[in-house]
Amino acid sequence: MPVPRYQNRIELLQGTLDLLILQTLQWGPRHGYGISQAIRTVSADVLQVDTGSLYPALHRLERQKWIRAEWTVSDRNQRTRVYELTAAGRKHLLAERSRWEQLAAAIGTILAHPGFLE
């Protein structure tokens, strides 16, 4: 069964960020800065998500019911919003991972191909 394609560049970029956020939350609940730091750390500083991209993505994922958020008080007695993956988010993450793996495999195939013989 073919996996749905990304329709445009914006959808691909948003989908990629959404995938990273959902994967990070699969490791456990985190606040926004913790999500950003997890992505940065696990990618060995290759991927850095700024707040101007992160929080709109978190709000979009929350509207989709793929994550939920709760206000808590941190160890430093500050209010912080903690995000966690929902059951629907886990299901969506599996589908998006499949999509991403298909896209990455297609790109890998093109990069490894010696070229066309005409």
Side-chain angles (χ1 to χ4, degrees), residues 87-118:
R90 282 189 227 328
K91 184 177 178 181
H92 182 72
L93 174 59
L94 287 174
E96 284 303 302
R97 283 182 62 130
S98 176
R99 247 175 125 177
W100 179 256
E101 288 164 2
Q102 183 184 34
L103 177 61
I107 292 170
T109 299
I110 291 169
L111 293 176
H113 196 280
F116 285 106
L117 299 173
E118 293 186 33

Side-chain angles (χ1 to χ4, degrees), residues 5 17 22-23 27 32 49 60 64 69 83 93-94 100 103 105 107:
R5 294 184 355 210
L17 178 55
L22 294 174
Q23 179 61 46
W27 304 327
V49 181
R60 184 175 57 252
Q64 295 293 330
Y83 299 89
L93 174 59
L94 287 174
W100 179 256
L103 177 61
I107 292 170

Side-chain angles (χ1 to χ4, degrees), residues 25-40:
L25 291 175
Q26 181 159 320
W27 304 327
R30 299 185 190 295
H31 52 74
Y33 180 74
I35 293 167
S36 176
Q37 285 304 105
I39 291 169
R40 183 177 180 172

